[in-house]
Amino acid sequence: MSPRPTTTPPPAPRRTGTSERTAYVRAGRRPDPSTGAVVAPIHQTTTFAQAGLGGDLGFTYSRAGNPTVAALEEALGALEGAPPAVCHKTGMAAITALFLGVLQGGDRVAIARAVYGGTVRLAREILDPLGIEATFFDPTDAESVDAALAGAPRLVFIETPANPTLELVDVAAIAARAAGALLAVDNTFQTPLGLQPLELGADVSVYSTTKFIEGHDATLGGALVARDEALLTRLRRITKSVGSTQSPFEAWLTLRGLTTLPLRYEQHCESALVVAEALEAHPFTETVRHPGLASFPQRELAEQQHRFGRRIQLHGGIVTLQIRGGFDAAVRFLGSLRLVLVAENLGAPGTLATHPASMTHGDVPADQRKAAGIDEGLVRLSIGLEDPADLIADLCRALDASQRETPSRGSAKVSEEVAS
Amino acid sequence: MSASPSRWTTSVRTGSAVETDPYRATSAPLYQTATFAQESPTEFGEFDYTRTDNPTRRSTEALLAELEGAAHALCYASGMAAIAAVLRLVQPGERVLLGRDLYGGTQRFAHGHLPGVQVEHVDLEPDEFGRRVQLEAALRRGGVRLVLFETPSNPRLAITDIAAVAAIAHRHDALVVVDGTVMTPWLQRPLDLGADVVIHSATKGLAGHGDVTAGVVATQSAELAETLQKKRNTDGSALAPFESWLLARGVRTLGVRIERAQATALQLAKALQRGPGLEAVHYPGLESHPGHALHQSQATGAGVLITLEADTAERAEALVRGARLFSTAVSFGGVSSSISLPHHMSHASVPRGAAPRPGENLVRLSIGLESPDDLLEDLRQAMSHASRHVVAEPSQRVAAVSNSD
């Protein structure tokens, strides 16, 4: 599959350099000193014996720190030219630690209106009872940004491309305006390959490593990357206090995933564009979104903000579509897929289809979903590493089936409760 | 409380996959997966995303619930994640009562991470007339959401009457939460005695091999379990599949490990009573322990922790430094024995305004599965080392502080 020939790359985003790519394979990894094993062992241990009192070798208890987890933390930090990251059990545990680590009762946090549903739920269920006020704003609208910043938030939280609308946020522009606040960017969709939030002026890069970074649909994990040592110390401390530290085995698997991330991610991006173009040409799709498409509304920002891989500019592996016939057609479409699996998660080797309104964003109130542009008929695809031709065949067949009036296998009753 | 013989069967059979696994595997498979594909976009299967629920974690939870005699058990990423989950049930404006002797991490969380919540430490022991005046008075002031304590407590191994405290707290609509880590459900089942919630750091005796960091919350209340599950799904603090699998694997040998280690512990505790420079040996299995009878009435064994009270901080430190077979390490309840100074290690993080930190002269021993003779010999040589050391040279102050365990 050959991607669209890219125009001359603009100078702003730095091309992925050799040393950076090497870091994906080598950072945080060194041969085991006792055996020479090139893959360091998994330190599946809770405790570290101390050579007498105060004689620990840097590790005492795995909730506070573990060599396997530390290797992952070192690697993730190195990918953004930062000190070791702070890794968590899940992406949501990372966001929880960020919020609880920097916010106190009476503080305000400004959150972009289109973010992962779990972040919205966190604001409502955990921040609100603590007296931390969350305001949701439109990061693409200067007035809305200014209104949110006028409340002097301690933290500004954005996501780009937003889940699931793929709306882009100009990170450098927000960073310039939000000078008095900490700026956190959920960079799960772009990974450090496609976007370097800290370089653009953000204070914290947030990741669900569950997605592209581990990339094999086999672990849950989260990470916070920052340059400020005092901030990192606070984040480490809250992580230890609430006990949401990543586990050794999951850290080890994530480190394995990191090794192939540049290869995988570029393929995800390339295939996503090919699939998006095919879907766009299909008569039964009303809207197809992918930041690499010529029709993408924020095309200019995508070209300016997203970094380049070896072959192409990295616009991510996610494609969204609106099918003619809205919700009912989307249900028939999803019910007709054979190769593509209907599942939550994204950034996995296999292509996954999600219905955000009932699945990933089911806990977001309907009016808030609407304001964020999450239509009830919207379908999110995470394009995997299969042959794109097979994917296109399956998706087009399901699109054809979506227009037939035969009842779908499931009833149209969508539970609000199951959303993860 | 008498030992229920079925726990031997429960611990090795519950959560086995024979009935559900397509290959009838006797050891449940490890579902190391983040996601579960759905058959239909509108009707979801039992599992969709591992943060919410996972078959491996669920089967471990079923095992732990049955051992605990609980209707529901939830596994967390660590003991602290479990404790934080329960303490976060308390809303701003409400109050929490804590026992006086409590793990340092619990105190750090309660005092540092519950904004707007009033946290107080109260005496839970009765006075000479059998009354708990301070507890009653604190409850009468109103607004207490929960009372949390450990029995035996860590590290002083003081015993609290679970049924008596539960009866008083329930008159004031407070939840009774027992951190049962020191006992594990093998030796004590607080829910049977009237507690509403039991928490464990499963890192300790339950998993028992020093290779898993994990926590458990168990309760009879479906409502409480549902609230905790929703919050856990929100903050992403559930236990990972591999850790869940290792935890269940550890529980298979819970009985044999604990019975063996506590038999050794009793033997050592008796021998140490005559140790040089030791002012007291705290072990609930000793008849001299003030809570001995009470403990025997609510538990089926005295456990694997022994706390020594040395005459001076210097001797305590020298004793720890002199031990060779016992490793100097935080955590407890593992297969290998460890020795620690709670003041400097597990309880170093106790914040100001909390209960007083354990004295510098306390030494905590966690007894594992080594030969009792070897362990005793090591303690004897450590004590004679300490006697020489304390006389010969002044102690070096401990510089590094460990916040763990």
Side-chain angles (χ1 to χ4, degrees), chain B residues 169-204:
Chain B
H170 287 160
R171 286 204 291 275
H172 298 271
D173 296 324
L175 287 173
V176 174
V177 181
V178 175
D179 181 336
T181 303
V182 171
M183 283 287 100
T184 81
W186 192 264
L187 298 177
Q188 183 173 275
R189 303 210 312 185
L191 300 182
D192 293 348
L193 298 164
D196 302 291
V197 177
V198 182
I199 307 173
H200 295 281
S201 168
T203 310
K204 312 297 179 323

Side-chain angles (χ1 to χ4, degrees), chain B residues 33-82:
Chain B
T33 182
T35 314
F36 299 83
Q38 305 301 317
E39 266 193 48
S40 143
T42 50
E43 286 185 341
F44 304 141
E46 256 186 298
F47 300 96
D48 58 352
Y49 192 59
T50 285
R51 170 157 49 74
T52 313
D53 200 359
N54 172 287
T56 307
R57 189 194 306 132
R58 190 191 278 187
S59 107
T60 302
E61 289 175 341
L63 167 63
L64 293 167
E66 194 163 329
L67 270 183
E68 196 73 63
H72 309 274
L74 290 100
C75 288
Y76 287 85
S78 64
M80 273 319 302

Side-chain angles (χ1 to χ4, degrees), chain A residues 255-381:
Chain A
L255 207 51
R256 290 299 251 181
L258 214 50
T259 311
T260 56
L261 180 60
L263 307 175
R264 286 185 290 108
Y265 191 68
E266 192 151 352
Q267 187 61 53
H268 281 295
C269 294
E270 194 175 315
S271 296
L273 180 57
V274 170
V275 170
E277 282 173 339
L279 291 176
E280 198 169 40
H282 195 284
F284 298 153
T285 56
E286 284 181 347
T287 319
V288 177
R289 290 269 183 267
H290 180 264
L293 284 174
S295 62
F296 189 69
Q298 295 167 292
R299 180 75 187 138
E300 203 177 320
L301 177 57
E303 289 193 333
Q304 171 212 320
Q305 182 160 276
H306 292 167
R307 304 171 86 228
F308 280 79
R310 282 210 167 136
R311 304 185 301 273
I312 55 165
Q313 194 169 13
L314 303 172
H315 293 303
I318 309 300
V319 176
T320 65
L321 64 155
Q322 297 273 7
I323 299 165
R324 196 176 79 185
F327 177 76
D328 292 338
V331 170
R332 285 193 293 269
F333 170 77
L334 291 165
S336 309
L337 291 166
R338 287 180 196 155
L339 182 62
V340 174
L341 299 173
V342 178
E344 310 224 348
N345 208 15
L346 54 93
T351 299
L352 305 177
T354 303
H355 180 241
S358 66
M359 295 168 76
T360 53
H361 290 67
D363 277 353
V364 178
D367 55 336
Q368 207 174 336
R369 274 205 303 265
K370 198 173 174 202
I374 305 168
D375 190 273
E376 301 297 304
L378 185 77
V379 171
R380 185 187 78 188
L381 298 173

